[in-house]
Amino acid sequence: MESTTPLLAGIEAGGTKYVCAVAQSPEEPLMETRFPTGPPEETMAQAIAFFREAMEKYGPIRAMGIGTFGPADIDPRSPGYGSILTTPKEGWGGFNLVGALREGLDEPIPIAFDTDVNAAAIGEAEVGAGKHHRNLCYITVGTGIGGGFLNDSSPLHGRMHPEIGHMVMPDLDAEFGKNTNVCPFHASCLEGRASGPAIQARWGAPGSELSEDHPAWDLEAKYLAAGALNLTAAWSPDIILIGGGVLQQYGLIDRVRREFEQLAGGYWSLPPLDLYLQTPALDQRAGIVGALALARRLL
Ligand code: ADP
Ligand code: ZN
């Protein structure tokens, strides 16, 4: 079946799992698969086999979008464009995803390559909680902390790409009689203080096992509010979306809003905080929907 609506391909290239899909419209994949991220050659072969099968069924792919785990070379002018940079993930350091896909797919398909969080930000801005906003920040709080940005609707890159998980944080642990930081690089950064592993290290149990009224959530909210405030001060977004596994904790986003209000000290004129600070609407789908939306932007 070949249709007149161009076929899009998307890859959510995660550090633990890969999601591949084809679609005519990003929110409605026609065909989708997911598999654990293995060694690069094997993982690419699985992705290529999926897209070949999809093309047999639906016709040629017109554009592909990839949202990858990082750090990655996302600068189209760089000779290493399309590759993963230094990573502890065995075999992936220096591996060029875009090159491998171009080689494996024969057809010269235009490919957009960006971070997983920038892709998620695009997904949320086009069909999720960030509709109608041109300056959007998407933060994920899980095993690590990362952030994607749309600046005047375009993904923000910079010299490499932002790594907001490593913004410096004040020590808020002391107030709680704790001193937990899980980042091996920094004495006190957002990821080191507020990621899922930080919560587990500090309180001796994963967040999913801590009750709603556990002090963990006040401290967590203080760190996340500080992060959101720093982004507000430095970069003035229209909306900040905070998601990831840790935000599944009931009531956490409300605590973040309360702490943010305190910390902001009335300085900024912002939308009501239940609109300014929200959880993402696409939830676990943001990455793959965003990768497909990234592809659509190439047409
Ligand atoms: P990843 O970052 O690996 O892609 P997730 O975004 O799902 O994965 O985040 C995983 C983290 O979220 C883990 O550290 C886990 O302990 C934490 N987490 C999962 N569920 C909850 C919950 N209900 N409350 C708080 N933390 C949670
Ligand atoms: Zn750090």
Side-chain angles (χ1 to χ4, degrees):
M1 176 198 84
E2 187 156 353
S3 145
T4 48
T5 313
L7 188 67
L8 309 169
I11 306 181
E12 179 189 340
T16 48
K17 73 169 192 309
Y18 256 58
V19 184
C20 301
V22 294
Q24 288 168 334
S25 151
E27 60 278 49
E28 291 167 48
L30 296 165
M31 199 172 144
E32 185 172 309
T33 187
R34 49 188 60 215
F35 47 87
T37 309
E41 290 77 12
E42 198 179 291
T43 308
M44 285 298 117
Q46 274 175 281
I48 289 161
F50 168 82
F51 289 120
R52 282 180 178 276
E53 191 190 331
M55 284 193 282
E56 266 169 39
K57 204 161 167 200
Y58 296 104
I61 290 169
R62 298 293 181 206
M64 179 180 283
I66 306 173
T68 183
F69 74 91
D73 188 339
I74 58 172
D75 176 2
R77 290 156 303 187
S78 153
Y81 175 70
S83 49
I84 304 293
L85 301 172
T86 47
T87 170
K89 248 192 113 48
E90 179 93 33
W92 284 91
F95 182 80
N96 196 310
L97 262 80
V98 172
L101 286 161
R102 283 201 204 290
E103 220 167 275
L105 288 169
D106 307 334
E107 321 252 337
I109 301 168
I111 300 180
F113 183 66
D114 215 316
T115 61
D116 47 5
V117 278
N118 270 345
I122 291 173
E124 288 291 337
E126 295 197 359
V127 296
K131 271 195 215 164
H132 318 301
H133 292 297
R134 303 180 66 82
N135 301 291
L136 173 148
C137 178
Y138 172 95
I139 305 174
T140 176
V141 186
T143 309
I145 297 184
F149 300 82
L150 297 187
N151 193 50
D152 201 13
S153 298
S154 296
L156 185 68
H157 286 178
R159 198 180 62 76
M160 188 179 77
H161 47 73
E163 287 276 2
I164 62 148
H166 300 282
M167 70 166 79
V168 173
M169 277 286 119
D171 175 7
L172 305 173
D173 265 61
E175 193 186 321
F176 289 72
K178 300 284 178 182
N179 181 24
T180 300
N181 163 58
V182 299
C183 178
F185 298 97
H186 308 119
S188 187
C189 69
L190 183 59
E191 182 170 298
R193 298 291 196 180
S195 59
I199 295 171
Q200 175 150 8
R202 182 180 296 117
W203 305 103
S208 53
E209 288 173 20
L210 302 176
S211 67
E212 236 176 87
D213 55 2
H214 194 284
W217 304 118
D218 276 336
L219 181 54
E220 182 68 12
K222 282 177 193 284
Y223 279 124
L224 296 179
L229 190 74
N230 286 343
L231 294 173
T232 301
W235 174 69
S236 193
D238 298 314
I239 182 170
I240 299 178
L241 303 174
I242 314 180
V246 172
L247 269 289
Q248 286 177 44
Q249 179 58 36
Y250 181 78
L252 180 56
I253 190 72
D254 289 322
R255 286 179 200 265
V256 175
R257 290 175 182 134
R258 288 198 293 271
E259 294 293 343
F260 182 97
E261 183 151 35
Q262 283 276 315
L263 213 51
Y267 184 83
W268 286 274
S269 149
L270 292 168
L273 291 186
D274 57 342
L275 299 180
Y276 184 64
L277 297 172
Q278 290 190 51
T279 51
L282 298 172
D283 200 23
Q284 309 290 331
R285 303 282 309 156
I288 190 62
V289 172
L292 290 162
L294 197 57
R296 186 166 64 181
R297 286 183 168 202
L298 288 173
L299 298 174

